[in-house]
């Protein structure tokens, strides 16, 4: 492969023919907006449509908006922060592995205490729609991803600078070629981080305190940003799009409902849902349609095999909790299952401690004695969550899932990314994505390799207790592996919450203040 060919490949099938753009932020080019957060008026300087790479493939997505509280330009402090010390909150707008545009700030009021968060799912609050994904929740953005508007406003009120980048995705297509397939989204977000660091002297905010935020596929990207800082394997891709030649490590990551560890997500899903043969939840994968209500016999067989493969995965992963290496027995029980049980018990206990009423008649899988959660029957709990996907849940045998489409290339829409599904492929001609690209999309491959990646120091990871978009095993293993690597992790399974992000923002931003000040 010649270098020239490689570059065009890395750019997602396009060669660069335009002018190389300057990456210097023009500090004089801005507009102002006044927002009202909890009755408090905040004037904000808006730097918008900033293309963050010098050789863009797609300026619609490779651009970002930066919002700075005006007070910082008048030597004033907010929440103890100054123009040079304010953390930079970086929400991405990625949902469903599709392209996301740069987050925007809507002028106007946000009130009523901390916002409730962005629900991505009709399953929020434990309701169980059956059949197809609900259409048009008001909290969905055009891509089906989390709208970061309210988080952005809340962050500005706390005195953070907000940098909201767009990124290419699996649906980005130009001149008949796909230009946003893996690893484009993470490469773009890294380039956005580099742009901020390159502009440190021109920018308000402290680029050593960048805190990324994302939900679902966007949560996966946030986890990757936090786990792969400065890793050399992304460099050729960054170079090809003209990313600033600087660091792409970040300080902290908010990770909500991460659809991540994709090469092990099929097996994790069946470890959780094997034996649950009804498809009761609605898959939130944008663009997915599933009219099936029960697993077929073939799918039941696949489920059983995948569950066994998860047992093998956990047993060789060497991930520890409380000093013990996590293990699973062939029936799916073992210390890893005990850990999951503890997380669910903790979820319910935290809700109880907040004064939330939990009737065990509604949650027959839960045992509560004198206000203390004493047991969770995992099998019954998993059944109550309900599966929303059929096996293999992410690498479909006919390459029809969102994740298959994420792993396409410039001329191929969809590919496999597990040997299991490739071996059972039902779509003629379907091939497997390059192993190096599969790795670039999986934070688990980098965590704990100190010499290879600069990790974020802090992670806030949340997964909804009723979410069935992936297995709760996925965020739990992510949190555990990060803890094993010595990272500060705040992980919690959020009671009575579906596929959602940016909830519990009061605590989320209190945490930022506790780590950033
Ligand atoms: C998302 C949800 C999914 O169920 C999935 O498989 C991929 C992405 C999302 O909401 O981003």
């Amino acid at each position: 492969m010649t270098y020239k060919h490689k570059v065009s490949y890395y750019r997602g099938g396009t060669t660069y023919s335009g002018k190389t753009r300057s990456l210097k932020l023009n500090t004089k080019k801005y507009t102002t907006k006044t927002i009202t957060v909890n009755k408090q008026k905040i004037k904000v300087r808006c730097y918008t449509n900033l293309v963050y790479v010098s050789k863009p493939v797609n300026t619609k997505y490779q651009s970002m908006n930066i919002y700075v509280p005006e007070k910082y330009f008048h030597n004033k402090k907010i929440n103890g922060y100054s123009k040079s010390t304010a953390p930079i909150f970086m929400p991405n707008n990625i949902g469903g592995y599709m392209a996301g545009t740069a987050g925007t700030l809507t002028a106007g009021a946000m009130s009523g205490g901390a916002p409730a968060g962005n629900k991505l799912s009709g399953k929020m609050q434990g309701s169980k729609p059956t059949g197809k994904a609900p259409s048009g929740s008001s909290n969905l953005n055009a891509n089906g991803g989390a709208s970061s508007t309210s988080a952005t406003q809340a962050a500005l009120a706390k005195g953070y600078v907000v940098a909201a980048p767009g990124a290419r995705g699996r649906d980005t297509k130009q001149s008949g070629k796909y230009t946003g397939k893996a690893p484009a989204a993470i490469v773009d977000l890294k380039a956005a981080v580099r742009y901020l660091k390159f502009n440190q002297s021109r920018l308000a905010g402290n680029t050593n305190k960048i805190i990324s935020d994302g939900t679902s596929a966007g949560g996966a990207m946030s986890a990757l940003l936090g786990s792969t800082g400065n890793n050399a394997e992304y460099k050729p891709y960054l170079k090809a799009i003209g990313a600033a030649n600087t660091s792409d490590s970040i300080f902290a990551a908010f990770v909500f409902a991460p659809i991540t560890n994709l090469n092990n997500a099929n097996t994790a899903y069946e470890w959780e849902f094997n034996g649950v043969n009804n498809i009761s939840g609605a898959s939130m994968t944008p663009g997915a349609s599933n009219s099936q209500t029960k697993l077929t016999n073939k799918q039941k067989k696949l489920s059983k095999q995948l569950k066994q493969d998860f047992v093998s995965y956990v047993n060789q992963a060497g991930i520890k909790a409380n000093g013990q290496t996590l293990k699973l027995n062939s029936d799916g029980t073992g210390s890893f299952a005990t850990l999951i049980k503890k997380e669910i018990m903790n979820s319910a206990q935290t809700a109880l401690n907040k004064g939330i009423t939990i009737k065990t008649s509604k949650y027959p899988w839960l045992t509560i004695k004198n206000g203390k959660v004493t047991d969770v029957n995992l099998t019954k709990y998993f059944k109550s969550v309900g599966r929303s996907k059929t096996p293999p849940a992410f690498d479909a045998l006919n390459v029809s899932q969102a994740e298959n489409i994420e792993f396409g290339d410039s001329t191929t829409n969809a590919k496999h990314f597990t040997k299991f599904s490739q071996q059972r492929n039902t779509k003629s001609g379907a091939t497997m994505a390059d192993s190096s690209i599969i790795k670039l999309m999986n934070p688990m491959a980098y965590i704990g390799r100190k010499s290879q990646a600069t990790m974020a120091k802090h992670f806030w990871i949340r997964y909804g207790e009723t979410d069935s978009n992936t297995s709760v095993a996925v965020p739990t293993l992510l949190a555990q592996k990060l803890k094993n690597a010595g990272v500060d992790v705040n992980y919690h399974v959020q009671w009575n919450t579906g596929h959602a992000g940016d909830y519990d923002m009061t605590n989320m931003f209190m945490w930022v203040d506790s780590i950033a000040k």
Side-chain angles (χ1 to χ4, degrees):
M1 208 186 260
T2 66
Y3 183 67
K4 202 170 157 213
H5 180 74
K6 240 186 177 172
V7 169
S8 98
Y9 177 70
Y10 288 145
R11 292 174 51 80
T14 63
T15 34
Y16 192 70
S17 52
K19 257 198 328 209
T20 300
R21 293 171 179 244
S22 165
L23 290 178
K24 275 192 187 166
L25 172 73
N26 180 350
T27 54
K28 297 201 176 78
K29 205 172 157 200
Y30 63 86
T31 57
T32 55
K33 256 183 196 170
T34 300
I35 57 168
T36 309
V37 183
N38 290 335
K39 297 193 180 141
Q40 180 201 350
K41 281 201 181 332
I42 304 162
K43 197 171 169 192
V44 180
R45 250 181 223 196
C46 314
Y47 305 84
T48 53
N49 302 316
L50 306 165
V51 174
Y52 54 67
V53 286
S54 65
K55 299 179 200 168
V57 176
N58 187 309
T59 53
K60 179 175 171 194
Y61 296 117
Q62 291 173 309
S63 75
M64 83 166 115
N65 298 328
I66 299 177
Y67 302 105
V68 185
E70 177 70 27
K71 273 189 178 174
Y72 286 145
F73 299 100
H74 306 281
N75 271 329
K76 294 209 173 107
K77 287 197 164 184
I78 307 170
N79 184 25
Y81 297 113
S82 69
K83 188 181 177 211
S84 60
T85 65
I88 302 176
F89 180 64
M90 192 177 126
N92 73 58
N93 234 346
I94 293 171
Y97 282 98
M98 294 197 283
T101 50
T104 54
L105 182 67
T106 344
M110 183 187 94
S111 59
N118 298 303
K119 56 177 131 166
L120 298 178
S121 163
K123 283 190 77 174
M124 187 85 168
Q125 308 309 336
S127 67
K128 285 197 189 291
T130 47
K132 299 210 166 74
S135 59
S137 151
S138 58
N139 286 315
L140 294 175
N141 70 14
N143 295 326
S147 137
S148 50
T149 307
S150 51
T152 293
Q153 295 205 356
L156 287 164
K158 286 288 252 170
Y160 312 148
V161 168
V162 176
R168 292 167 294 162
R170 64 180 166 101
D171 53 336
T172 312
K173 204 171 184 183
Q174 293 156 263
S175 313
K177 293 219 164 144
Y178 301 108
T179 56
K181 301 294 189 186
I186 182 60
V187 171
D188 284 356
L189 294 175
K190 280 176 171 286
V193 170
R194 287 175 172 221
Y195 175 91
L196 294 172
K197 296 205 175 194
F198 176 79
N199 281 297
Q200 169 66 84
S201 63
R202 287 170 284 272
L203 193 68
N206 181 353
T207 56
N208 291 323
K209 296 277 165 70
I210 296 174
I211 302 164
S212 89
D213 176 38
T215 299
S216 199
M221 291 307 111
S222 189
L224 268 174
L225 272 180
S227 312
T228 65
N230 303 328
N231 178 269
E233 291 162 23
Y234 299 87
K235 284 188 179 162
Y237 299 88
L238 287 158
K239 197 171 177 198
I241 57 174
N245 187 14
T246 177
S247 159
D248 51 57
S249 67
I250 60 168
F251 175 67
F254 285 112
V255 176
F256 287 93
I259 306 293
T260 192
N261 195 358
L262 294 176
N263 23 334
N264 297 296
N266 297 317
T267 63
Y269 204 80
E270 298 314 315
W271 172 75
E272 178 162 342
F273 294 114
N274 176 254
V276 180
N277 296 326
N278 291 332
I279 302 151
S280 60
S283 169
M284 287 297 107
T285 319
S289 67
N290 192 351
S291 53
Q292 235 183 295
T293 56
K294 279 188 187 337
L295 295 193
T296 62
N297 284 338
K298 181 183 166 188
Q299 287 167 335
K300 285 181 198 167
K301 210 174 134 204
L302 290 170
S303 171
K304 210 170 154 197
Q305 289 168 318
L306 287 162
K307 178 181 177 170
Q308 283 312 314
D309 285 356
F310 184 72
V311 170
S312 312
Y313 166 64
V314 168
N315 287 337
Q316 60 73 46
I319 298 173
K320 291 183 178 172
N322 309 313
Q324 301 268 306
T325 304
L326 294 166
K327 294 281 178 195
L328 281 175
N329 305 315
S330 60
D331 63 358
T333 64
S335 56
F336 179 71
T338 307
L339 175 67
I340 296 287
K341 193 173 173 168
K342 273 196 197 142
E343 295 294 356
I344 307 304
M345 286 171 66
N346 186 36
S347 177
Q349 188 65 57
T350 305
L352 282 177
N353 295 352
K354 276 193 220 155
I356 293 168
T357 309
I358 301 177
K359 290 201 177 99
T360 41
S361 55
K362 199 177 157 203
Y363 300 95
W365 43 267
L366 196 58
T367 312
I368 303 173
K369 283 183 191 148
N370 302 323
K372 293 271 173 257
V373 177
T374 56
D375 199 17
V376 159
N377 180 319
L378 269 191
T379 309
K380 287 186 184 162
Y381 163 65
F382 292 156
K383 198 167 178 184
S384 117
V385 173
R387 72 159 68 237
S388 56
K389 298 180 177 187
T390 56
F394 299 89
D395 188 354
L397 300 187
N398 64 356
V399 292
S400 62
Q401 280 292 359
E403 291 74 12
N404 293 118
I405 300 171
E406 170 65 7
F407 280 109
D409 65 28
S410 62
T411 54
T412 313
N413 191 35
K415 290 188 186 182
H416 288 296
F417 51 92
T418 63
K419 274 195 192 117
F420 183 95
S421 295
Q422 177 67 51
Q423 279 163 359
R424 293 160 181 80
N425 173 49
T426 59
K427 170 95 180 185
S428 112
T431 57
M432 183 140 160
D434 214 83
S435 61
S436 64
I437 292 178
I438 299 169
K439 184 183 176 199
L440 291 170
M441 298 303 284
N442 194 345
M444 300 297 273
Y446 299 89
I447 297 167
R449 305 197 165 179
K450 276 207 179 93
S451 61
Q452 291 170 31
T454 311
M455 308 275 301
K457 289 195 171 66
H458 310 275
F459 279 76
W460 174 278
I461 304 173
R462 290 291 180 273
Y463 192 69
E465 172 259 322
T466 67
D467 195 350
S468 64
N469 279 259
T470 188
S471 168
V472 65
V474 167
T476 304
L477 282 172
L478 173 68
Q480 220 53 51
K481 189 156 188 175
L482 286 163
K483 285 181 194 173
N484 291 176
V487 172
D488 166 39
V489 183
N490 186 317
Y491 173 54
H492 190 66
V493 177
Q494 197 81 7
W495 182 253
N496 200 20
T497 300
H499 194 50
D502 289 350
Y503 44 74
D504 199 18
M505 274 202 264
T506 305
N507 280 322
M508 158 175 164
F509 287 140
M510 262 167 50
W511 179 77
V512 171
D513 288 343
S514 77
I515 59 171
K517 275 187 183 171

